[in-house]
C-alpha cells in the first residue's frame, strides 16, 4: 500500500516535538536520501540555538536554509525562526515574513500545503506532538493530493492537541509512535 | 491558501494592474504574489473578474491593493546579532567620514530605521548621518514618521533584541530612546530622534531613484525574498551602483546573493561590503 518514491519529507511539530525530532534524526539512516524539511514552532523568546540543538545528535546535516536555496539529498532543512517556509515548483525553498498564520511563523500549514501542491503523491507529511491546531489543514492537503500522511499517536504525545486536530479532519495513512516513525523512515530507500 | 491551480489568472491580473496603474508586480516571486492576491480577494470578497473591474475603474482601490500586497513585518533590532555586528564592526569604520549617507530601502514602519539611529547615537555618529528611508506603502511611511508602536506584543521582544544588539558592552537604558506608556499601549521613539529621516514613497522596482547622492550603507532586509531571481539581480545591481566603494549593503539574515554578485561584494553574515574590483582567481 505504500508508495516509496517520496521526493520530500515534511515534519511539523510544536510543544514537546524537539525530543521527538532529535530522536528521529539520531536514529535515521545516515544516508537517508530524501530531503527532510522541519517546521517546528519555537518558544517566543528562544529564537536561536534550535539548529545547533538538533545538530548535536543528528546523523544528517541540519541547516536553516536561505531564501531560494535548492533542496539537496541527505539534508535536513529547518524553517528559520520568524520566517514562513514554502516549497517551490523548481525544487527551491522560499521564505517569507508574511503575517503569522495560526498565531505561528513559521506556520506548519503553509509548509505542508506547499509540499502538497508541489510534490503531490510524492510528499510524505508527518505531524508530531503540539499544543496548537497548526498543521492539521496542511496534512489534509497532503492527503488530498494522494500524498502519504503519518500522525504521531496522541497517546505518545506530550501535548496531543496538534495530532488530534489533524485526526478530526482526515484519516492519515498511519498513526505511529516516535519509534515506529523512525522504523518507517528507515524502510525508505537510502 | 496555497497556489491557485489557475496560475494564469493572477499573472493576467498583474499585467492589468501594470497597465492601469504605476505599479508593476509582475516580477514578484510567483508563490508569494499569488498568495497575496488570494488574500485580497478573500478580504474584499471579490471574484477575479470583480477584482479586475475594480482595479480598472478605481484608483483608490489600487492603492489599497498595493497596501495589501505589501508585507510590513518588522521589529526593533530584528536579528540582534546583525545589529551587534554593525555596532562593533561596521559603524566604527565611519568615524573619520565627514558624512554618512544611509538608505533604508523598504523601511516598512520604521523600526529598523530607529534601531540604526540608536546605534549611531550611541557611537556619537548621529549628527553626521544623512538618512533616507523609502517604501512602496504610504501607510507604512506615515507610521514610520510617527515612530510609535504598540507596547503589548512588542515590548518584551524589543527589549530582548535591544539588549542583544548591545551585548558585550554597556547597554543604555531603553528609556533613553523611548517613551513607554503602558496605559496608552505605546512605545514611542523620543522626539529628539524624530525628524532626522527623509521618508520618501518609492517603488524599488522603478528604475529612477529619488536621490542624487551615493551611499555608505544600504539596508534592504527581507524585501528581496518577495522578488523573482531576475528582479533581485536588477535591484542588487542598482544597490551596487549606488554604494560608495567599501560601502555596505545589509540584507535579511536568510537572504543571499547569487553567484555573479559574490565577486562584487565581500560577505560577512548578512552584511555585504562593495568591493572595488572583481576577485579574479586564476
Amino acid at each position: 500500500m505504500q508508495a516509496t518514491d517520496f521526493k520530500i519529507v515534511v515534519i511539523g511539530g510544536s510543544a514537546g516535538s524537539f525530543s521527538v525530532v532529535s530522536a528521529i534524526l539520531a536514529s535515521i539512516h545516515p544516508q537517508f536520501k530524501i530531503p527532510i524539511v522541519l517546521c517546528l514552532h519555537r518558544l517566543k523568546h528562544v529564537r536561536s540555538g534550535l539548529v545547533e540543538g538538533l545538530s548535536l545528535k543528528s546523523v544528517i546535516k541540519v541547516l536553516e536554509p536561505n531564501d531560494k536555496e535548492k533542496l539537496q539529498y541527505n539534508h535536513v532543512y529547518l524553517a528559520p525562526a520568524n520566517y514562513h517556509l514554502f516549497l517551490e515548483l523548481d525544487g527551491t525553498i522560499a521564505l517569507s515574513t508574511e503575517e503569522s498564520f495560526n498565531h505561528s511563523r513559521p506556520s506548519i500549514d503553509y509548509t505542508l500545503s506547499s509540499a502538497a501542491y508541489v510534490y503531490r503523491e510524492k510528499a510524505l507529511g508527518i505531524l508530531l506532538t503540539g499544543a496548537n491546531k497548526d498543521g492539521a489543514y496542511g496534512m489534509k492537503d497532503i492527503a488530498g493530493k494522494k500524498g502519504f500522511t503519518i500522525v504521531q499517536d496522541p497517546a505518545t504525545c506530550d501535548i496531543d492537541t496538534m495530532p488530534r486536530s489533524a485526526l478530526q479532519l482526515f484519516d492519515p495513512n498511519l498513526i505511529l509512535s516516535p519509534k515506529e516513525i523512525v522504523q518507517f523512515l528507515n524502510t525508505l530507500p537510502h | 491558501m496555497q497556489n491557485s491551480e489557475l496560475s494564469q489568472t493572477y499573472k493576467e491580473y498583474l499585467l492589468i494592474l501594470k497597465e492601469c496603474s504605476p505599479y508593476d508586480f509582475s516580477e514578484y516571486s510567483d508563490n508569494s504574489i499569488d498568495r497575496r492576491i488570494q488574500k485580497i480577494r478573500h478580504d474584499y470578497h471579490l471574484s477575479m473578474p470583480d477584482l479586475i473591474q475594480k482595479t480598472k475603474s478605481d484608483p483608490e482601490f489600487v492603492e489599497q491593493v498595493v497596501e495589501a500586497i505589501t508585507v510590513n513585518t518588522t521589529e526593533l533590532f530584528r536579528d540582534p546579532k546583525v545589529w551587534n555586528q554593525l555596532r562593533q564592526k561596521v559603524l566604527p569604520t565611519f568615524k573619520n567620514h565627514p558624512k554618512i549617507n544611509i538608505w533604508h530601502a523598504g523601511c516598512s514602519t520604521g523600526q529598523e530605521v530607529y534601531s540604526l539611529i540608536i546605534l549611531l547615537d550611541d557611537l556619537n555618529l548621529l549628527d553626521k548621518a544623512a538618512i533616507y528611508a523609502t517604501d512602496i506603502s504610504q501607510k507604512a511611511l506615515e507610521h514610520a514618521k510617527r515612530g510609535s508602536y504598540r507596547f503589548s506584543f512588542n515590548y518584551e521582544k524589543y527589549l530582548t533584541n535591544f539588549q542583544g544588539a548591545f551585548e558585550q558592552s554597556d547597554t543604555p537604558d531603553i528609556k533613553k530612546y523611548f517613551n513607554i506608556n503602558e496605559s496608552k499601549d505605546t512605545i514611542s521613539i523620543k522626539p529628539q530622534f524624530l525628524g532626522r529621516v527623509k521618508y520618501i514613497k518609492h517603488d524599488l522596482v522603478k528604475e529612477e531613484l529619488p536621490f542624487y547622492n551615493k551611499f555608505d550603507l544600504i539596508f534592504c532586509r527581507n524585501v528581496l525574498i518577495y522578488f523573482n531571481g531576475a528582479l533581485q539581480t536588477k535591484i542588487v545591481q542598482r544597490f551596487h551602483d549606488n554604494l560608495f566603494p567599501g560601502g555596505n549593503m545589509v540584507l535579511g539574515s536568510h537572504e543571499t546573493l547569487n553567484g555573479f554578485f559574490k565577486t562584487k561584494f565581500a560577505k560577512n553574515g548578512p552584511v555585504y561590503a562593495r568591493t572595488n574590483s572583481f576577485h579574479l582567481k586564476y
Side-chain angles (χ1 to χ4, degrees):
Chain A
M1 69 154 202
Q2 70 212 27
T4 49
D5 55 343
F6 298 121
K7 292 267 188 279
I8 193 87
V9 178
V10 180
I11 302 178
S14 180
S17 66
F18 176 82
S19 57
V20 179
V21 174
S22 191
I24 291 174
L25 296 181
S27 23
I28 200 165
H29 194 286
Q31 261 80 52
F32 187 82
K33 247 189 162 171
I34 313 161
I36 298 176
V37 174
L38 302 176
C39 188
L40 307 176
H41 296 161
R42 307 182 185 214
L43 293 170
K44 275 255 150 38
H45 299 292
V46 191
R47 284 184 175 169
S48 52
L50 189 51
V51 76
E52 293 81 0
L54 290 172
S55 297
L56 283 178
K57 289 190 180 165
S58 179
V59 294
I60 304 180
K61 188 177 169 51
V62 185
L63 57 109
E64 288 184 324
N66 287 312
D67 180 56
K68 297 190 175 46
E69 189 163 332
K70 206 150 181 85
L71 287 167
Q72 295 183 58
Y73 288 124
N74 196 228
H75 278 64
V76 178
Y77 298 90
L78 173 68
N82 230 345
Y83 287 92
H84 295 302
L85 185 155
F86 299 90
L87 298 162
E88 296 273 357
L89 285 166
D90 61 358
T92 61
I93 283 168
L95 300 178
S96 151
T97 59
E98 278 157 77
E99 298 82 354
S100 298
F101 189 69
N102 299 326
H103 307 289
S104 308
R105 188 172 54 221
S107 150
I108 302 168
D109 272 342
Y110 275 165
T111 305
L112 286 168
S113 298
S114 72
Y117 176 75
V118 170
Y119 293 92
R120 306 181 74 91
E121 78 284 358
K122 297 196 185 323
L124 167 57
I126 302 176
L127 194 66
L128 305 175
T129 164
N132 154 320
K133 67 176 175 57
D134 190 23
Y137 278 97
M139 288 290 281
K140 191 182 171 207
D141 276 353
I142 290 198
K145 301 278 194 221
K146 308 268 189 293
F148 200 85
T149 49
I150 301 174
V151 172
Q152 184 180 346
D153 182 351
T156 67
C157 288
D158 276 10
I159 299 177
D160 62 9
T161 315
M162 197 173 269
R164 283 203 187 283
S165 315
L167 295 177
Q168 277 171 10
L169 281 182
F170 73 104
D171 290 324
N173 296 91
L174 296 169
I175 300 174
L176 300 177
S177 72
K179 219 177 207 168
E180 291 165 334
I181 292 173
V182 177
Q183 284 167 0
F184 176 87
L185 289 174
N186 282 337
T187 63
L188 303 177
H190 40 256
Chain B
M1 177 173 60
Q2 257 304 307
N3 311 253
S4 64
E5 303 284 340
L6 302 159
S7 62
Q8 271 326 101
T9 339
Y10 77 87
K11 287 191 175 168
E12 279 162 23
Y13 174 69
L14 292 179
L15 290 179
I16 290 162
L17 187 61
K18 185 178 172 178
E19 261 169 41
C20 62
S21 84
Y23 300 105
D24 180 4
F25 293 102
S26 59
E27 287 187 284
Y28 275 51
S29 95
D30 293 345
N31 189 330
S32 66
I33 194 73
D34 186 14
R35 223 162 35 237
R36 299 313 278 177
I37 291 171
Q38 285 187 45
K39 184 176 174 330
I40 291 163
R41 285 183 43 201
H42 179 264
D43 291 351
Y44 288 88
H45 307 286
L46 291 172
S47 69
M48 193 50 106
D50 291 344
L51 177 67
I52 290 171
Q53 188 48 43
K54 217 163 151 55
T55 299
K56 282 181 173 167
S57 62
D58 184 351
E60 263 176 48
F61 176 71
V62 170
E63 292 301 321
Q64 288 169 23
V65 167
V66 172
E67 296 290 343
I69 287 177
T70 316
V71 172
N72 279 325
T73 306
T74 180
E75 60 193 64
L76 198 69
F77 295 108
R78 182 182 168 106
D79 314 314
K81 263 192 198 157
V82 179
W83 296 94
N84 207 310
Q85 179 189 348
L86 289 168
R87 183 178 62 82
Q88 298 202 53
K89 301 271 161 60
V90 179
L91 297 179
T93 63
F94 298 124
K95 278 236 148 88
N96 298 320
H97 286 211
K99 203 177 164 201
I100 313 165
N101 288 333
I102 298 158
W103 173 19
H104 293 269
C107 67
S108 186
T109 44
Q111 280 90 328
E112 296 202 332
V113 176
Y114 296 114
S115 304
L116 187 70
I117 283 182
I118 290 168
L119 296 188
L120 290 167
D121 179 70
D122 187 68
L123 294 165
N124 286 319
L125 294 170
L126 186 52
D127 288 336
K128 294 200 233 182
I131 307 170
Y132 300 84
T134 61
D135 203 277
I136 192 174
S137 159
Q138 188 62 39
K139 247 184 167 167
L141 286 170
E142 297 303 329
H143 192 168
K145 275 181 210 169
R146 291 195 301 276
S148 184
Y149 309 103
R150 272 188 81 176
F151 176 85
S152 49
F153 303 111
N154 287 328
Y155 181 67
E156 237 181 296
K157 186 166 62 189
Y158 285 7
L159 186 61
T160 313
N161 288 356
F162 181 82
Q163 286 160 346
F166 281 98
E167 215 168 77
Q168 293 160 340
S169 52
D170 290 338
T171 307
D173 189 342
I174 194 166
K175 294 194 175 98
K176 180 180 174 191
Y177 295 103
F178 291 96
N179 289 321
I180 294 164
N181 190 328
E182 280 189 64
S183 60
K184 284 190 180 159
D185 196 23
T186 55
I187 160 166
S188 314
I189 189 87
K190 290 205 168 169
Q192 65 263 39
F193 302 106
L194 283 172
R196 288 178 173 266
V197 183
K198 199 158 193 250
Y199 287 102
I200 307 164
K201 182 167 164 32
H202 173 251
D203 180 356
L204 263 184
V205 175
K206 297 274 180 244
E207 292 292 329
E208 65 283 358
L209 296 181
F211 7 71
Y212 299 101
N213 48 295
K214 291 201 174 195
F215 293 93
D216 298 288
L217 266 175
I218 297 176
F219 287 80
C220 187
R221 312 229 314 132
N222 299 313
V223 176
L224 299 180
I225 52 179
Y226 299 106
F227 300 159
N228 69 23
L231 182 57
Q232 281 187 347
T233 301
K234 234 188 280 176
I235 308 271
V236 172
Q237 180 65 55
R238 204 167 302 147
F239 289 158
H240 188 270
D241 294 344
N242 285 281
L243 274 173
F244 288 120
N248 289 280
M249 172 176 79
V250 186
L251 301 181
S253 14
H254 288 277
E255 294 175 310
T256 47
L257 299 181
N258 63 34
F260 171 65
F261 280 110
K262 282 183 186 159
T263 61
K264 302 181 123 194
F265 290 95
K267 174 179 163 67
N268 193 343
V271 181
Y272 293 79
R274 184 195 148 139
T275 52
N276 279 326
S277 56
F278 290 96
H279 299 288
L280 292 176
K281 287 178 189 162
Y282 286 110

